[in-house]
């Protein structure tokens, strides 16, 4: 019986839970120096004076370095045109100085690097760096930035980083009986991983070893080599354990580059780890879109077309933000049969922290806009929100499906997912109870929300290599270039290898996170791992079986073509004679040396989907929202380990609920961040969340042998619109049609007061 499909406990947990994790801060480095940064305290300004003398004179300070001291090249824009289908490329005139030279562009912009013998001296020295500014007008509002009345980069001549325009031959709203329109803000939020960004570097005179908290060791290695002028063979990146990433640790940061540059310059190990406050101000934020949605439909609720205009906040420098609207466009039709769509997006610079990828990266933004539109359409027509969705879902027999935006959906059963969620929630009973409660009145308003979604995982194709080695003693080692930051890869890859090789899972060791010991791969992001790295582990393991078959034939004294492998028993036998067999011990003894197989697999994207149902209770006297239930049906294709899938859904839903109700990065009109600590940025704890009801639903993907689709971002994408839908459903009797996230007590209370005044 296969181990796949079973609830197998994570093998990495005992090490992580008992304090044996190998994080950047834990790496023992003799004589290691501490790096910190003096950063800008204004959102936009010219540096008129920079005095580091007092900081440099402090005992214990090894050096204070400015842009002129380091002499590093600026970091280029994210991607040129053509790398990602549909992405037009970003304005190459906009680059990021590693340390600000003459101008700062957001609060937190790096100005000087301080290296000291310990963190306490470094912190004191940081406070002694004196920076004077000629303050310039700050652009905080992304809609205002479009006008180009003030520029962040004079040489670019515009604040626009990139633009996408998709205008069909026929107006998508033509012939509609009803058109609903809504301006929607998908607010800026923080990734806030448990482990903030960190890096440590050692240089031996020839070779650089970098310890990183990164989602992509191979990508970080390549960036360090290119930006520092080193041969790739002379750069090693190690990322043993990573305490969360959510997309924000996917690209090299200027801080990491400075760590490496100073280790080379000073000839001593250098370590940097940002504080939580520095992280909330400096780590790339997520989301940050203003959307204008229009849906055109018939009188019975069939959507004919859609138009979406997006302004994407880039922040002060390009990170992943220019790419995000590409995915918003791609997933604009969602689970619905919408044949005609128009789209425009503009990505603009603002004097704020750069925006990067965050769990879903452009896809949740598309789903949220579309689901808000479906709710507004249902309200306009007086139809049940679930019924409006059902009438527009793509039928099961339409797959594979090419959508109006060019996405190629691999497989799906959208009606099945919605029906499963509604049945699990007992939706009719929920509606009946809600109606009785409204009739009775009282201080509590109950709301029910529904969402459906589809997303793209592994959106950027790239080869995924791996190596599987069977040693003479029967132990197995998997070398993978895809490393975990909470996903459970050690468990998953060991399960797959054990299944294909017919060996105990305990005999499999998974090696990851070291560019000297693992193949170069794209890293972990975009929910790509199982369908790429997991699939290639299966392929390489099967190649090991094939390589061993000829040795098994010798042991069994049979022709190679007559030898079969029984993976349930982990033995080779002659076809038709299973009683006479040879296990791995006998076969490997005859081989006399390890069997090693390399494999490469390049998978196309997959399109996981699902449906969520949420129920909330709102105290109309205070505006406080209590989430009563969340039923989540998330289809990730064939499930390898339900325990890991549940964990990903729970974590994703927590972040989706948080965006709906709690989290928002806020700046004042001068660009000062007002949410730079957890006292102000409302990250929910377990006390604010509930135990979600996760219901399995499997529709295998034809794009890989495992039938797997991604799951890492699904819970986030489905939960946010469902919870917002529930809140606005509760507020509908008061005449409130729309509120922007987060749906805080204050925002709801003010809306209720305004409604009562009306």
């Amino acid at each position: 019986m296969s181990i796949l499909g079973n609830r197998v406990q994570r093998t990495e947990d005992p090490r992580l839970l008992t304090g044996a994790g190998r994080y950047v801060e834990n790496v023992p480095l003799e004589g290691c120096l501490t790096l910190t940064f003096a950063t800008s305290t204004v959102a936009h300004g010219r540096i008129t004076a920079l005095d580091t003398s007092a900081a440099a004179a402090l005992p214990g300070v090894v050096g204070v370095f400015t842009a002129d001291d380091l002499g590093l090249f600026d970091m280029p824009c994210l991607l040129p045109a053509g790398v990602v289908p549909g992405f037009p490329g970003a304005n190459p005139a906009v680059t990021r100085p590693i340390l600000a030279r003459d101008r700062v562009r957001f609060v937190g912009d790096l100005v000087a690097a301080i290296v000291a013998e310990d963190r306490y001296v470094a912190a004191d020295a940081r406070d002694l760096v004196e920076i004077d500014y000629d303050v310039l007008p700050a652009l905080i509002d992304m809609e205002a930035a479009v006008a180009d009345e003030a520029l962040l980069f004079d040489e670019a001549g515009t604040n626009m980083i990139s633009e996408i325009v998709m205008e069909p031959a026929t107006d998508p709203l033509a012939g509609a009986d009803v058109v609903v329109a809504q301006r929607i803000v998908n607010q800026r939020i923080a990734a806030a991983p448990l482990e903030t960004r960190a890096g440590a570097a050692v240089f031996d005179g020839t070779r650089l070893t970098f310890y990183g908290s990164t989602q992509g060791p191979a990508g970080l290695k390549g960036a360090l080599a290119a930006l520092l002028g080193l041969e790739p063979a002379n750069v090693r990146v190690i990322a043993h354990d990573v305490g969360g990433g959510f997309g924000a640790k996917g690209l090299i940061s200027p801080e990491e580059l400075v760590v490496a540059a100073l280790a080379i310059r000073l000839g001593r190990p250098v370590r940097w780890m940002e504080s939580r406050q520095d992280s909330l101000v400096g780590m790339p934020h997520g989301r940050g879109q203003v959307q204008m949605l229009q849906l055109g439909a018939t009188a019975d609720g069939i959507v004919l077309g859609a138009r979406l205009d997006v302004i994407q906040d880039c922040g002060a420098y390009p990170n992943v933000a220019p790419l995000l609207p590409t995915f918003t466009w791609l997933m604009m039709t969602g689970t619905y049969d919408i044949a005609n769509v128009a789209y425009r997006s503009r990505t603009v610079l603002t004097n704020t922290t750069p925006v990067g990828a965050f769990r879903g990266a452009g896809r949740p933004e598309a789903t949220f806009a579309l689901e808000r539109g479906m709710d507004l359409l249902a309200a306009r027509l007086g139809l049940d929100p679930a019924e409006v969705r059902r009438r527009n879902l793509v039928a099961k027999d339409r797959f594979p499906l090419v959508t109006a935006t060019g996405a190629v959906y691999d497989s799906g059963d959208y009606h099945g997912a919605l029906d499963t969620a509604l049945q699990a929630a007992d939706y009719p009973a929920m509606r009946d109870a809600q109606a009785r409660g409204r009739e009775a009145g009282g201080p509590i308003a109950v709301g029910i929300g529904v969402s459906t979604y589809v997303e793209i995982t592994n959106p950027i194709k790239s080869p995924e290599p791996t190596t599987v080695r069977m040693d003479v003693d029967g132990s197995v080692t998997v070398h993978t270039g895809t490393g975990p930051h909470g996903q459970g890869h050690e468990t998953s890859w060991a399960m797959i290898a054990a299944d294909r090789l017919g060996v105990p899972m305990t005999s499999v060791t998974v090696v990851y996170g070291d560019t000297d010991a693992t193949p170069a791969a794209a890293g972990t992001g975009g929910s790509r791992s199982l369908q790429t790295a997991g699939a290639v582990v299966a392929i390489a393991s099967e190649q090991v079986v094939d390589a061993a078959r000829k040795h098994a034939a010798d042991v069994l004294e049979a022709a190679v073509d007559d030898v079969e492998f029984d993976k349930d028993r982990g033995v080779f036998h002659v076809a038709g004679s299973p009683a006479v067999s040879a296990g791995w011990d006998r076969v490997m003894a005859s081989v006399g040396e390890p069997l090693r197989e390399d494999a490469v697999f390049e998978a196309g994207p997959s399109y996981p989907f699902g449906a969520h149902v949420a129920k909330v209770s709102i105290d109309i006297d205070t505006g406080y929202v209590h989430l009563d239930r969340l039923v989540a049906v998330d289809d990730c294709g064939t499930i390898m380990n339900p325990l890991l899938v549940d964990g990903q859904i729970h974590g994703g839903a927590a972040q989706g609920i948080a965006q709906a109700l709690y989290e928002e990065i806020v700046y004042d009109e001068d660009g000062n961040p007002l949410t730079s600590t957890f006292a102000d940025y409302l990250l929910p704890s377990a006390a604010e969340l509930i135990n979600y009801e996760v219901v399995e639903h499997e529709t295998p993907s034809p794009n890989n042998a495992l039938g797997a689709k991604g799951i890492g971002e699904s819970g986030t994408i489905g939960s946010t619109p469902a919870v917002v839908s529930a809140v606005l459903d509760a507020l509908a009797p008061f005449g409130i049609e729309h509120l922007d996230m987060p749906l805080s007590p204050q925002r709801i209370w003010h809306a209720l007061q305004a409604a009562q005044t009306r």
Side-chain angles (χ1 to χ4, degrees):
M1 179 178 176
S2 174
I3 193 174
L4 301 183
N6 292 293
R7 302 182 72 86
V8 177
Q9 294 286 335
R10 288 168 36 121
T11 58
E12 51 265 68
D13 282 353
R15 172 172 58 82
L16 298 174
L17 293 172
T18 56
R22 299 164 295 174
Y23 299 96
V24 172
E25 188 77 351
N26 306 132
V27 176
L29 298 171
E30 186 176 353
C32 189
L33 300 169
T34 294
L35 169 67
T36 191
F37 293 91
T39 60
S40 171
T41 56
V42 302
H44 197 195
R46 292 188 179 88
I47 299 174
T48 58
L50 174 57
D51 187 355
T52 63
S53 58
L58 191 69
V61 171
V62 174
V64 181
F65 303 89
T66 66
D68 291 339
D69 297 323
L70 290 181
L72 295 171
F73 294 107
D74 290 359
M75 295 182 72
C77 252
L78 168 67
L79 290 172
V83 176
V84 178
F87 179 55
N91 189 335
V94 179
T95 59
R96 180 170 185 175
I98 307 304
L99 297 177
R101 282 187 291 272
D102 56 0
R103 191 166 174 177
V104 293
R105 294 181 174 89
F106 73 102
V107 173
D109 211 350
L110 307 180
V111 178
I114 301 111
V115 182
E117 295 291 348
D118 62 53
R119 67 180 64 188
Y120 306 105
V121 173
D124 289 342
R126 169 177 170 160
D127 293 338
L128 295 176
V129 175
E130 297 183 6
I131 313 169
D132 294 333
Y133 305 97
D134 176 14
V135 178
L136 300 172
L139 274 175
I140 308 305
D141 187 297
M142 65 185 93
E143 292 174 286
V146 173
D148 286 339
E149 292 180 1
L151 298 177
L152 270 71
F153 287 81
D154 298 331
E155 57 273 30
T158 178
N159 291 317
M160 190 181 300
I161 291 292
S162 63
E163 181 179 22
I164 300 172
V165 178
M166 301 292 183
E167 191 65 40
T170 304
D171 182 355
L173 306 178
D177 297 319
V178 59
V179 175
V180 294
Q182 183 62 56
R183 178 184 180 273
I184 298 166
V185 177
N186 208 292
Q187 82 274 28
R188 176 188 287 246
I189 53 179
L194 281 173
E195 181 192 27
T196 58
R197 293 180 299 170
V202 180
F203 187 65
D204 65 4
T206 301
R207 201 157 193 258
L208 176 73
T209 300
F210 191 93
Y211 299 89
S213 181
T214 178
Q215 295 174 223
L220 180 55
K221 170 182 174 173
L224 287 170
L227 293 170
L228 294 172
L230 298 173
E231 289 295 325
N234 288 330
V235 179
R236 178 188 186 187
V237 171
I238 299 172
H240 285 140
D241 290 315
V242 177
F246 311 116
K249 295 178 181 176
L251 297 179
I252 187 173
S253 70
E255 293 91 341
E256 290 170 316
L257 186 61
V258 174
V259 170
L262 288 175
I264 294 171
R265 180 178 184 131
L266 299 173
R268 288 179 61 181
V270 175
R271 186 180 349 240
W272 158 75
M273 184 168 187
E274 65 183 355
S275 68
R276 180 60 64 184
Q277 185 170 10
D278 287 341
S279 182
L280 285 169
V281 171
M283 181 182 239
H285 295 155
R287 309 291 188 253
Q289 284 189 2
V290 172
Q291 307 164 326
M292 185 63 205
L293 174 72
Q294 294 174 287
L295 285 184
T298 63
D300 57 357
I302 304 300
V303 177
L304 301 177
R307 183 178 292 276
L308 184 63
D309 190 295
V310 171
I311 300 177
Q312 170 72 58
D313 196 345
C314 181
Y317 302 106
N319 188 278
V320 177
L323 189 58
L324 302 181
T326 304
F327 299 133
T328 303
W329 153 249
L330 189 68
M331 303 313 300
M332 182 180 160
T333 61
T335 56
Y336 305 115
D337 189 4
I338 304 175
N340 197 7
V341 295
Y343 180 82
R344 184 189 185 192
S345 67
R346 290 163 287 176
T347 302
V348 295
L349 296 160
T350 59
N351 292 115
T352 59
T353 301
V355 172
F358 174 74
R359 206 164 193 164
R363 290 99 82 197
E365 295 87 326
T367 297
F368 186 78
L370 192 55
E371 291 303 287
R372 278 274 57 235
M374 299 303 283
D375 278 345
L376 292 167
L377 181 61
R380 179 75 63 86
L381 297 174
L383 296 172
D384 184 275
E387 179 58 27
V388 169
R389 287 168 169 82
R390 182 180 284 108
R391 293 181 186 183
N392 287 283
L393 292 173
V394 173
K396 184 178 180 179
D397 61 3
R398 296 276 303 280
F399 298 91
L401 172 74
V402 180
T403 72
T405 63
V408 184
Y409 292 179
D410 52 345
S411 62
D413 181 7
Y414 303 157
H415 287 91
L418 177 60
D419 290 342
T420 299
L422 296 176
Q423 182 178 2
D426 198 354
Y427 186 72
M430 291 174 72
R431 285 295 184 194
D432 289 344
Q434 180 190 45
R436 291 194 301 271
R438 286 180 174 176
E439 185 176 348
I444 302 298
V446 173
I448 301 163
V450 179
S451 74
T452 69
Y453 74 90
V454 60
E455 69 139 332
I456 181 173
T457 59
N458 187 38
I460 304 175
K461 288 180 63 174
S462 60
E464 184 69 34
T466 199
T467 298
V468 174
R469 188 184 73 241
M470 169 79 77
D471 285 316
V472 175
D473 63 0
S475 62
V476 177
T477 306
V478 175
H479 296 262
T480 176
T482 303
H485 42 95
Q487 292 84 354
H489 290 172
E490 289 182 64
T491 304
S492 299
W493 302 174
M495 288 176 65
I496 294 169
D499 171 76
R500 294 301 196 264
L501 294 168
V503 300
M505 185 177 159
T506 52
S507 69
V508 182
T509 300
V510 178
V511 176
Y512 63 89
D514 184 343
T515 57
D516 271 10
T518 57
T524 300
S527 299
R528 66 182 298 275
S529 295
L530 184 59
Q531 62 198 294
T532 56
V536 78
V537 168
I539 293 169
S541 298
E542 291 165 357
Q543 290 177 186
V544 169
V545 172
D546 289 340
R549 185 173 277 108
K550 63 181 180 181
H551 300 284
D554 292 339
V555 172
L556 296 169
E557 298 181 347
V560 174
D561 292 342
D562 292 336
V563 174
E564 295 181 351
F565 179 66
D566 182 348
K567 69 177 185 177
D568 289 338
R569 294 190 296 149
V571 298
F572 295 85
H573 65 85
V574 178
S577 303
V580 180
S581 62
W584 281 109
D585 53 348
R586 290 178 61 193
V587 172
M588 292 307 299
S590 73
V591 176
E593 61 182 9
L595 286 175
R596 167 183 167 149
E597 290 293 324
D598 301 318
V600 178
F601 177 61
E602 186 168 1
S606 70
Y607 291 84
F609 61 93
H612 287 202
V613 178
K615 176 178 174 289
V616 301
S617 298
I618 301 177
D619 185 332
I620 60 175
D621 292 326
T622 65
Y624 175 76
V625 178
H626 183 269
L627 178 61
D628 301 324
R629 292 183 71 186
L630 180 71
V631 177
V633 176
D634 298 283
D635 193 315
C636 60
T638 304
I639 296 175
M640 298 293 110
N641 184 337
L643 187 70
L644 296 183
V645 169
D646 287 358
Q648 289 295 294
I649 294 170
H650 276 243
Q655 290 182 312
I657 294 165
Q659 182 177 10
L661 300 179
Y662 305 112
E663 296 186 30
E664 181 181 26
I665 293 289
V666 179
Y667 292 89
D668 68 16
E669 62 184 8
D670 296 319
N672 297 303
L674 304 180
T675 45
S676 59
T677 72
F678 282 159
D680 305 303
Y681 186 80
L682 300 184
L683 191 79
S685 69
E688 284 77 44
L689 299 171
I690 61 171
N691 189 30
Y692 325 119
E693 301 165 51
V694 176
V695 184
E696 290 184 4
H697 195 273
E698 293 183 80
T699 307
S701 171
N703 290 350
N704 61 82
L706 298 176
K709 301 184 180 186
I711 189 59
E713 294 151 310
S714 294
T716 307
I717 296 171
S719 60
T720 306
V723 172
V724 171
S725 176
V727 172
L728 291 171
D729 180 58
L731 298 176
F734 301 93
I736 300 170
E737 291 187 345
H738 180 79
L739 291 174
D740 283 321
M741 301 181 289
L743 299 175
S744 63
Q746 181 183 32
R747 185 164 285 173
I748 292 172
W749 185 86
H750 279 298
L752 287 168
Q753 298 307 303
Q756 291 173 8
T757 300
R758 290 195 301 271

